[in-house]
């Protein structure tokens, strides 16, 4: 009888940031693990390879299992030229990725390094956060899943500030967003240009409707168009502790990276953003416009940004 | 501690060791650290959170017996990562006064994860003792119990690299010199530049290698400066503008309980940072001042190279 060749999970190459439930089951079977949860740590090295941290060169990969059975990837992103609060952590990427795919709960997460306090705080925005199970692959073999409450005892979070019936992160939001400006795009009337501007506006508006901003009451959405005319949008995700909030620009960059997958050449060329749209509240207590301009100036200086505002009811 | 009346710092953000001992005696506490929770309720008044109206105060004890107060600050019109947490204020306040370590502090609510992470920049952070006055049964507990299985400077820096509150002597190389023909405006600019440069030299920025400092002058020509403080986890870093606002309040004194935002009396500002920095503060400093002190004028001086010491 032939000996089964030893396979290394280092050979796993992931191209996409979402693995559907049936594919996850098949992979688990293929790798000889009983559950999708046990598959997560095996996928962490592959996720790490997709990270984009040009400042630190410290790659972090996070792989999470949603209640839908889908697996989501998260990686860290860094943006040279900007203050460090523009960075996206792998755990934030994972949650934002899941939210964008309509996932309603994260059951467990395997991550390459212990989540920092900023992420342990950000994760509190999810209902039942205390019970999310976390496995740190750098802990050595074998490593166990432990509840988030072990990592952040005595947490501060939404229950301290919100009524329990308010929707939390990953739960459906439908903020009232009625744009003030006329809905048609603008001065230019050539076919492609008008199409992209309209699609950007609609995507940013939809993202603003879905945004989680119960503390400031200032939901916002951001959308970017890449070199191929595809639109990627993200919703502002607020944290009860304020500073760990994920800006709408960062959320859109998560969507951009998740859509491009393992486009190696893409990484070499940098961020190909040609146009962007921001939807936010008029005279907002928390406004993203100026920061979005700073971001684009550093990351995609030729991208044109349009800002659409809505009034609160 | 039950039944001991609350005490006041009289609006001050620093209390010298001798006075601390006297206050402790008067309050009838045997250990100086038991004075800290008594000071928290009154200190909350000094917070400036016009967005949340959620006041937080932290009162800490330094190695040589000084007490430092920290409060939360919020800045309407800006993204929430411009906010300053009370624990960050406390540490930056201590740093601005040359404090070498924080032994313990009392705070009005449990530190959030962002702060538990920020505090890791201090050597021996695990042993900082923290009491939460809102706790059912308040008692001092080590930071290690609030952030088990931590991540921090110990994972990224070598042991000898200076941590937050330890002396930093960043070498800035050549900084553009300001003109000084002796006019009052130019004298003020030179004082601002020197203060910002000093703050950049003292800045804790071992991860990016991009130290920076920002100095502000108020309407009366008083100058306050703050150093950029970096976190190993990146996002919890404290910007130089925020550090300068802390100095404004903590060194200048916190008169009144205004939350109106116009209270930030900034007429001029100078930022010193690295040329073509991987982590640049200029644009962000400008949008901060536009939101908080729109008539303030910001000048930026850049240095070519730096050696982090």
């Amino acid at each position: 009888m032939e000996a089964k060749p030893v396979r290394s999970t280092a050979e796993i190459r992931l191209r996409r940031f979402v693995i559907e439930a049936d594919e996850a089951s098949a992979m688990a079977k293929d790798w000889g693990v009983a559950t999708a949860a046990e598959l997560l740590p095996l996928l962490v090295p592959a996720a790490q390879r997709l990270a984009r941290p040009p400042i630190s060169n410290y790659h972090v990969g996070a792989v999470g299992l949603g209640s839908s059975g889908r697996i989501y990837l998260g990686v860290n992103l860094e943006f040279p030229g900007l203050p460090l609060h523009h960075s996206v952590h792998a755990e934030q990427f994972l949650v934002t990725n899941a939210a964008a795919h309509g996932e309603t709960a994260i059951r467990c997460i395997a991550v390459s390094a212990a989540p920092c306090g900023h992420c342990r705080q950000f994760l509190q925005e999810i209902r039942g956060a205390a019970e999310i199970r976390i496995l740190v692959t750098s802990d050595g073999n074998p490593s166990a899943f432990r509840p988030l409450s072990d990592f952040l005892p005595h947490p501060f979070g939404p229950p301290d500030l919100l009524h329990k019936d308010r929707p939390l992160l990953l739960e459906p939001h439908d903020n009232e967003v009625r744009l003030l400006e006329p809905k048609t795009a603008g001065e230019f009337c050539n076919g492609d240009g008008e199409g992209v501007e309209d699609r950007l506006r609609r995507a940013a508006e939809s993202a603003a409707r879905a945004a989680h901003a119960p503390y400031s009451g200032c939901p916002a959405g951001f959308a970017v168009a890449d070199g191929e005319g595809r639109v990627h949008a993200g919703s502002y995700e607020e944290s009860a502790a304020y500073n760990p909030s994920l800006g709408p620009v960062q959320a859109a960059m998560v969507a951009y990276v998740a859509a491009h997958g393992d486009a190696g050449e893409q990484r070499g060329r940098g961020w190909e953003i040609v146009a962007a749209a921001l939807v936010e509240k008029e005279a907002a207590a928390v406004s993203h416009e100026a920061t979005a301009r700073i971001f684009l100036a550093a990351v995609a200086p030729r991208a044109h940004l349009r800002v659409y505002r809505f009034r609160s009811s | 501690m039950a039944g001991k009346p609350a005490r006041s710092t009289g609006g001050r953000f620093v209390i010298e060791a001798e006075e601390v001992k006297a206050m402790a005696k008067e309050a009838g506490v045997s250990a100086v650290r038991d004075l800290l929770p008594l000071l928290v309720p009154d200190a909350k008044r000094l917070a400036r959170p016009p967005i949340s109206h959620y006041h937080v105060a932290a009162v800490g004890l330094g190695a040589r017996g000084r007490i430092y107060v920290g409060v939360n600050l919020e800045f309407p019109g800006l993204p929430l990562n411009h906010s300053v947490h009370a624990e960050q204020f406390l540490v930056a306040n201590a740093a601005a006064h040359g404090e070498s370590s924080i032994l313990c502090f009392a705070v009005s609510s449990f530190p959030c994860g962002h702060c538990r992470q920020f505090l890791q920049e201090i050597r021996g952070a695990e042993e900082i003792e923290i009491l939460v006055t809102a706790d059912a049964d308040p008692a001092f507990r080590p930071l290690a119990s609030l952030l088990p299985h931590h991540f921090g400077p110990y994972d990224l820096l070598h042991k000898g690299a200076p941590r937050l509150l330890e002396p930093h002597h960043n070498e800035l190389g050549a900084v553009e010199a300001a003109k000084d023909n002796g006019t009052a405006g130019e004298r003020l600019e030179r004082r601002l530049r020197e203060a910002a440069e000093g703050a950049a030299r003292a800045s804790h920025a071992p991860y990016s290698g991009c130290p920076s400092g920002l100095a502000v002058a108020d309407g009366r020509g008083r100058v306050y400066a703050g150093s950029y403080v970096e976190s190993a986890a990146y996002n919890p870093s404290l910007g130089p503008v925020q550090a300068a606002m802390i100095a404004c309040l903590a060194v200048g004194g916190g008169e009144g309980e205004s939350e109106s935002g116009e209270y930030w009396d900034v007429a001029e500002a100078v930022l010193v940072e690295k040329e073509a920095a991987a982590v640049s503060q200029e644009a962000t400093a400008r949008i901060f001042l536009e939101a908080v002190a729109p008539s303030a004028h910001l000048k930026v001086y850049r240095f070519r190279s730096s050696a982090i010491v």
Side-chain angles (χ1 to χ4, degrees):
Chain A
M1 175 147 123
E2 282 174 32
K4 215 173 172 191
V6 172
R7 293 163 73 200
S8 163
T9 56
E11 69 186 60
I12 298 178
R13 191 142 183 259
L14 292 172
R15 286 188 167 74
R16 289 159 298 112
F17 282 75
V18 181
I19 301 169
E20 295 296 335
D22 50 4
E23 195 185 342
S25 299
M27 281 181 85
K29 198 167 171 193
D30 197 33
W31 286 92
V33 293
T35 61
E38 287 165 84
L39 181 62
L40 301 182
L42 305 182
L43 301 177
V44 165
Q48 266 179 292
R49 283 194 282 276
L50 298 172
R52 304 188 190 201
I55 301 176
S56 68
N57 286 307
Y58 186 89
H59 289 236
V60 184
V63 188
L65 180 64
S67 55
S68 65
R70 269 200 209 117
I71 287 179
Y72 301 94
L73 266 52
V75 298
N76 59 328
L77 309 176
E78 294 167 3
F79 303 98
L82 293 165
L84 293 178
H85 57 237
H86 283 264
S87 314
V88 178
H89 288 227
E91 299 87 328
Q92 291 179 299
F93 189 125
L94 186 157
V95 171
T96 305
N97 184 16
H101 287 87
E103 185 61 64
T104 54
I106 303 286
R107 295 268 177 262
C108 44
I109 300 172
V111 58
S112 53
C116 72
H118 160 93
C119 283
R120 300 180 198 192
Q121 184 61 55
F122 181 80
L123 289 168
Q124 300 301 309
E125 294 309 304
I126 299 171
R127 197 178 299 277
E131 281 93 49
I132 296 174
R133 292 155 72 238
I134 315 269
L135 183 152
V136 180
T137 58
S138 60
D139 269 0
N141 185 27
S143 185
F145 281 99
R146 282 176 293 161
L148 179 57
S149 54
D150 276 11
F151 290 85
L152 199 77
H154 297 283
F156 171 79
D160 293 287
L161 300 176
L162 301 179
H163 187 270
K164 64 176 165 60
D165 292 339
R166 295 288 299 273
L168 298 186
L169 191 51
L170 298 186
E171 292 169 352
H173 290 64
D174 190 18
N175 306 306
E176 214 175 304
V177 171
R178 262 173 294 168
L179 298 188
L180 295 175
E181 269 93 326
K183 289 187 180 176
T184 51
E187 311 84 18
F188 301 109
C189 235
N190 74 71
D192 291 340
E194 190 177 39
V196 163
E197 291 283 355
D198 276 344
R199 284 188 294 126
L200 281 168
R201 178 187 48 72
R202 273 198 302 276
E205 194 179 345
S206 170
R209 279 207 192 88
H212 173 68
Y215 311 107
S216 67
C218 299
F222 197 78
V224 297
D226 66 21
E228 285 113 60
R230 287 180 300 176
V231 168
H232 312 285
S235 303
Y236 175 44
E237 292 165 356
E238 218 159 55
S239 160
Y242 277 28
N243 296 54
S245 300
L246 187 82
V249 180
Q250 278 66 27
M253 297 313 291
V254 167
Y256 176 107
V257 172
H260 283 99
D262 178 28
E265 321 95 75
Q266 180 69 38
R267 262 181 289 165
R269 286 201 300 269
W271 306 105
E272 286 198 339
I273 294 168
V274 303
L278 168 70
V279 166
E280 69 172 8
K281 201 179 194 178
E282 190 185 38
V286 172
S287 167
H288 302 278
E289 177 178 356
T291 300
R293 292 195 187 282
I294 292 175
F295 182 92
L296 289 172
V299 163
R302 284 176 307 205
H304 174 68
L305 170 67
R306 281 193 73 107
V307 182
Y308 304 90
R309 295 173 188 84
F310 59 90
R311 200 165 278 156
S312 60
S313 50
Chain B
M1 226 177 306
K4 295 257 184 283
R7 301 278 142 172
S8 174
T9 66
R12 290 171 298 156
F13 287 83
V14 183
I15 305 171
E16 296 296 336
E18 281 310 302
E19 192 181 343
V20 168
K21 281 190 219 144
M23 284 177 82
K25 196 170 175 190
E26 198 197 84
V29 294
S30 48
V32 164
R33 77 175 192 175
D34 291 331
L35 176 63
L36 303 177
L38 304 181
L39 294 169
V40 164
D42 183 71
K44 281 169 74 171
R45 284 189 312 111
L46 303 172
R48 298 187 180 192
I51 301 175
S52 70
H53 304 288
Y54 187 90
H55 288 238
V56 184
V59 185
L61 185 65
R64 283 180 305 250
R66 257 200 211 132
I67 278 182
Y68 300 95
V69 173
V71 295
N72 60 326
L73 309 175
E74 293 166 4
F75 303 98
L78 292 164
L80 294 179
N81 42 38
H82 283 264
S83 313
V84 175
H85 288 226
E87 300 86 328
Q88 292 179 297
F89 190 126
L90 166 68
V91 173
N93 180 11
H97 287 89
E99 182 58 63
S100 58
S101 80
I102 303 284
L103 301 176
C104 52
F105 66 85
V107 57
S108 52
S109 37
F110 272 98
C112 72
H114 159 93
C115 283
R116 300 183 199 190
Q117 183 61 56
F118 182 80
L119 288 166
Q120 300 302 305
E121 295 308 306
I122 298 170
R123 197 181 300 274
E126 330 62 91
E127 280 123 38
I128 297 175
E129 297 269 313
I130 301 171
L131 182 150
V132 178
T133 58
D135 205 358
D137 190 14
F140 281 99
R141 70 182 84 216
L143 176 58
S145 67
L146 292 177
L147 199 75
H149 201 338
H150 50 205
F151 167 78
Y154 27 79
D155 294 292
L156 300 177
L157 306 179
H158 70 84
K159 231 175 175 181
R163 302 289 161 81
L164 185 51
L165 300 186
E166 291 171 353
H168 289 62
H169 302 289
N170 305 316
E171 277 174 35
L172 305 184
V175 182
E176 311 164 42
K179 279 187 332 214
D180 188 359
N181 290 333
T183 66
E186 281 163 351
R187 278 199 305 275
L188 177 61
E189 195 177 302
R190 184 164 55 82
R191 285 172 56 217
L192 280 165
R193 183 178 57 81
E194 279 167 6
E197 238 181 271
R201 282 206 191 88
S203 164
H204 174 70
Y207 311 106
S208 66
C210 299
S212 65
L214 190 138
V216 298
D218 67 14
R220 279 181 275 181
R222 293 180 299 191
V223 169
Y224 307 101
S227 303
Y228 171 50
V229 177
E230 219 158 57
S231 160
Y234 277 25
N235 296 54
S237 301
L238 183 78
V241 184
Q242 279 70 23
M245 294 298 106
I246 290 168
C248 220
L249 205 50
V251 179
E255 298 108 52
E257 296 153 87
S258 169
E259 284 186 8
S260 63
E262 303 111 36
Y263 194 83
W264 297 106
D265 180 12
V266 176
E268 303 279 331
V270 165
L271 169 70
V272 167
E273 69 169 2
K274 198 179 194 175
E275 197 175 56
V279 171
S280 169
Q281 310 290 345
E282 177 178 354
T284 301
R286 284 194 193 284
I287 70 172
F288 180 93
L289 289 171
E290 264 176 51
V292 168
S295 53
H297 176 247
L298 171 69
K299 215 172 148 119
V300 183
Y301 293 94
R302 297 168 194 87
F303 52 90
R304 286 263 152 78
S305 63
S306 66
I308 302 297
V309 176

